[in-house]
Amino acid sequence: LGDVYKRQGLFTSPYVQNQTFSYEFDVWDDDYGTPVTFYGNNDYIACGSDTSIDMAIGDSYSITCWINKRGSNSGNYAHFLDNYTSLRNWAVGNWLNTDQLFFEWRRADNAAWTATQLSLNLIQNEWNFLAITVTSGGSGGTKTIVTRLYNSAGAPTTTTKTTTDDWSASGTGNFEIGRSQSNGTYFNSELSDVRVYKTVLSLSDINTIYNK
């Protein structure tokens, strides 16, 4: 499993949520329930390849996690969640080397990738709870991306973005936590309770996860 697994534990459990297959990545360090610390230089968790969390045209998604950013990242566009294929699938990280969040995916025409600035900033040195829901409008239709960020600035702060860009599920690759696989930048943070759902969570569902 590699040195990263020897130093940091990973438990991956498939389960059914609203009749939709989903994954939860419970990450910890040493003792169960303690979040993993990433130092922003050369550490990450490789979760392997799993096509069930790839975005295909017509798929809707939800992504939730707890994150405590502890300073500057190793460079621009550092990802803390990165489902990378040979044609980039989806990722969540910081825009440039700021605290602003962004969500990106590879376009289905393979001409480029689409990066959506979410207009929300992580607050450093405190725990932020992030929830992103992506509602697909089908091929060529409008996709709606709703982001909720819970921290001391407000619970939650919400933004809504729309796009007609389709996403591509082509290629093969890995899901990693803590770095961008495409440009090698690392995220300086603590992370806990990473969840990926192939369904759109309701606000009630999100609040239930937040209050656990």
Side-chain angles (χ1 to χ4, degrees):
L1 292 176
D3 290 339
V4 69
Y5 281 98
K6 295 176 183 176
R7 184 171 60 83
Q8 298 168 338
L10 173 66
F11 173 75
T12 306
S13 59
Y15 60 98
V16 174
Q17 172 72 24
N18 296 332
Q19 299 183 343
T20 302
F21 192 65
S22 307
Y23 271 88
E24 177 179 353
F25 302 88
D26 291 326
V27 293
W28 66 89
D29 194 355
D30 298 325
D31 298 317
Y32 180 78
T34 303
V36 168
T37 298
F38 300 90
Y39 294 97
N41 46 43
N42 194 29
D43 49 351
Y44 64 96
I45 294 177
C47 302
S49 178
D50 190 340
T51 57
S52 70
I53 59 173
D54 290 346
M55 279 189 175
I57 295 174
D59 285 343
S60 295
Y61 276 79
S62 297
I63 302 162
T64 67
C65 68
W66 286 90
I67 180 166
N68 179 13
K69 187 181 178 186
R70 301 182 303 114
S72 297
N73 303 316
S74 67
N76 291 334
Y77 306 111
H79 300 160
F80 50 90
L81 303 178
D82 189 297
N83 192 51
Y84 178 81
T85 71
S86 58
L87 300 173
R88 186 193 300 278
N89 203 254
W90 62 267
V92 185
N94 274 161
W95 184 256
L96 296 173
N97 202 352
T98 68
D99 295 326
Q100 185 178 177
L101 293 164
F102 78 100
F103 174 66
E104 65 177 350
W105 61 94
R106 184 74 188 192
R107 278 173 32 183
D109 59 12
N110 299 326
W113 49 269
T114 297
T116 298
Q117 293 173 255
L118 300 176
S119 303
L120 293 173
N121 293 327
L122 294 171
I123 296 180
Q124 292 191 23
N125 300 309
E126 73 170 67
W127 282 102
N128 301 252
F129 177 73
L130 174 65
I132 300 173
T133 61
V134 183
T135 303
S136 173
S139 179
T142 299
K143 289 79 177 169
T144 303
I145 303 164
V146 179
T147 308
R148 296 178 174 89
L149 185 65
Y150 298 66
N151 54 34
S152 62
T157 305
T158 303
T159 65
T160 300
K161 305 286 185 178
T162 58
T163 180
T164 56
D165 283 353
D166 291 327
W167 35 75
S168 173
S170 301
T172 58
N174 296 316
F175 179 64
E176 293 190 356
I177 301 174
R179 74 161 181 169
S180 167
Q181 298 175 69
S182 59
N183 59 23
T185 50
Y186 294 83
F187 211 87
N188 184 4
S189 69
E190 295 176 290
L191 279 167
S192 184
D193 195 20
V194 177
R195 302 172 182 233
V196 180
Y197 300 85
K198 238 175 187 177
T199 188
V200 176
L201 297 178
S202 68
L203 179 57
S204 176
D205 292 332
I206 292 170
N207 285 333
T208 297
I209 297 169
Y210 169 71
N211 287 312
K212 278 190 175 181

